[in-house]
Amino acid sequence: MRTPRRAARLRSPAVLVCALVATCAFLPPAVGPPEVTRVRADAALDGAFAGYADRDRSPGHWTGGDSTYSVPAPKGELWVFSDTFLGTVRPDGSRSPVTGRGSTPFVHNSFVLWNATGPHTVTGRDAGGGPTSVVSGSGPDDWYWSRAGIPGPGGVQVVYARYARTGPGPLDVAWRGNALGRFGPGGGPGPRSLTPLPSSAGVSWGAWLSREGGHTYVYGTEKAPSGPGNHLHLARITGSDLRGPWQFFTGRGTWSSDEHRSARLSGPDGAALRTSDELSVVRHGAWYALCTQRADLPFSAEVQFAWSRTPSGPFTRPRTVFTAPETGPGGTYRNRNVFAYNPHEHPELERRDELVVSYNVNSLVPDDVIHRADIYRPRFLRMALGHTRPEPPAP
């Protein structure tokens, strides 16, 4: 039986500190984020899209597109694309011209619905029955590019960014606002409704969508005022309907209904992150994985990951896990104009401890993707997650 005097001795500050140190020596170290330990091409997904593009000879089917988001829809897996080539790929691997006597329709957004009977291209239709974008702009110099999608009440919701042409070059475009397209279970042929979304703060919302608990989280990108890359923002909606009231993360652990109070999400040093325009933030256990293109170098071919304990950050310093082999004069096309961009995850296709990531490939010279149809298609990767590592001690 412990005597009162002995108990008092154990309660002395010096003894308590020693006991705490001794106890901590036997505690496991703090667990850090997972690590990408291996990356390999997903030959099945690459081959499925290449096969559909090259072998289907119907005149209005998908032969290439970018953005490459995916949504598990009631009628199958809905693949969401922005700029899309339709038509037929020639036996030599080329497309016919888009204009003049060509037979290659081009639209600014489309779907490919993949179900038990295979892939099916979904577009809108003009008055003559020809293909148009699923969501059309007001004219040839005004259009919508697809952002992320998510299941919604009775079907699918997809965020769109409206753009306008500002000059003759392929990169002479400017963002004009955000909208929400609501679709039926199969995605088309057009939206049930197109609703304006918050657009007053210069943030292109819908770079990623995720649902957790009672909220739907919406990530957005703001073009950096100087230098390459984008700043990352976060909003949320209670429930699953993206037409509901939005709240914006202020950076102080609070949320506001004022879009102008939306804060730039930060990295480990408190500075604002730089990301690609399209990305993903997916929860894996206790960590959230930000998948982005390296943003401090223009046209970088590097896929990077950063990790956070919360959807709002702060995130760890981004680390390169893969470099696209197709790009630049030393790449597989031996073409200095070919570049890669906008990687993100497809969580509904993943297995435990293995991620599925897509990225897009394009060329700064438009004729390149006419002469080589296979340039302008998504690529898919499988990334293995290894054991977690101890966090480094605080400085």
Side-chain angles (χ1 to χ4, degrees):
M1 179 176 177
R2 183 180 298 167
T3 64
R5 183 170 179 173
R6 186 178 180 186
R9 189 185 309 123
L10 284 174
R11 287 195 298 267
S12 69
V15 173
L16 286 176
V17 168
C18 292
L20 179 61
V21 170
T23 302
C24 290
F26 294 97
L27 291 178
V31 176
E35 291 184 323
V36 174
T37 58
R38 183 168 61 93
V39 180
R40 61 184 174 89
D42 190 323
L45 279 172
D46 285 346
F49 277 99
Y52 179 49
D54 291 340
R55 290 192 295 270
D56 192 316
R57 298 301 178 187
S58 57
H61 87 288
W62 180 98
T63 65
D66 67 357
S67 283
T68 321
Y69 289 103
S70 61
V71 188
K75 290 191 174 181
E77 184 78 0
L78 191 68
W79 293 89
V80 181
F81 293 98
S82 290
D83 283 348
T84 302
F85 288 101
L86 306 171
T88 300
V89 176
R90 294 164 166 168
D92 66 357
S94 69
R95 297 180 169 97
S96 67
V98 174
T99 58
R101 295 185 177 181
S103 57
T104 299
F106 177 83
V107 297
H108 285 298
N109 54 77
S110 71
F111 298 136
V112 173
L113 178 65
W114 212 298
N115 56 25
T117 62
H120 309 272
T121 300
V122 180
T123 64
R125 294 290 170 184
D126 62 19
T132 62
S133 300
V134 174
V135 178
S136 296
S138 60
D141 292 329
D142 183 276
W143 65 86
Y144 289 93
W145 276 335
S146 304
R147 305 288 272 170
I150 198 168
V156 172
Q157 304 172 97
V158 179
V159 177
Y160 289 88
R162 186 169 67 86
Y163 275 79
R165 185 163 298 286
T166 60
L171 301 181
D172 293 336
V173 298
W175 172 86
R176 293 290 187 250
N178 307 301
L180 174 69
R182 298 174 65 245
F183 300 89
R192 291 174 170 176
S193 64
L194 187 64
T195 306
L197 292 178
S199 303
S200 65
V203 177
S204 180
W205 295 104
W208 188 253
L209 301 170
S210 65
R211 189 165 295 144
E212 187 167 346
H215 292 98
T216 300
Y217 289 93
V218 185
Y219 290 87
T221 49
E222 169 206 0
K223 185 64 179 174
S226 61
N230 301 266
H231 296 305
L232 187 60
H233 292 252
L234 178 62
R236 70 181 184 185
I237 300 95
T238 300
S240 60
D241 192 336
L242 294 179
R243 297 171 299 172
W246 284 42
Q247 294 180 311
F248 305 92
F249 184 69
T250 67
R252 299 179 177 88
T254 61
W255 300 82
S256 171
S257 59
D258 182 359
E259 186 184 8
H260 290 273
R261 294 188 61 194
S262 177
R264 296 167 178 171
L265 302 190
S266 66
D269 55 0
L273 284 170
R274 295 273 179 134
T275 70
S276 47
D277 183 52
E278 295 177 8
L279 43 83
S280 60
V281 181
V282 178
R283 184 171 185 174
H284 296 283
W287 290 89
Y288 294 81
L290 166 63
C291 177
T292 178
Q293 178 185 7
R294 181 175 178 178
D296 61 334
L297 296 176
F299 300 108
S300 170
E302 298 177 40
V303 176
Q304 295 191 324
F305 270 74
W307 299 84
S308 172
R309 289 286 195 179
T310 71
S312 58
F315 289 87
T316 62
R317 196 172 309 281
R319 293 187 176 187
T320 297
V321 299
F322 176 79
T323 300
E326 297 86 359
T327 65
T332 54
Y333 293 101
R334 299 295 187 265
N335 187 333
R336 63 186 179 87
N337 296 305
V338 172
F339 64 97
Y341 57 112
N342 288 344
H344 46 68
E345 281 193 59
H346 300 269
E348 76 279 6
L349 304 180
E350 295 176 352
R351 299 190 291 264
R352 180 178 175 85
D353 295 332
E354 188 175 59
L355 314 184
V356 176
V357 172
S358 67
Y359 63 95
N360 302 304
V361 180
N362 204 340
S363 175
L364 294 172
V365 177
D367 281 349
D368 286 344
V369 300
I370 298 298
H371 299 318
R372 291 287 306 265
D374 62 332
I375 293 177
Y376 192 68
R377 289 177 192 157
R379 271 63 169 182
F380 295 91
L381 306 169
R382 287 198 175 267
M383 297 186 175
L385 288 184
H387 297 292
T388 57
R389 54 185 171 79
E391 288 185 327

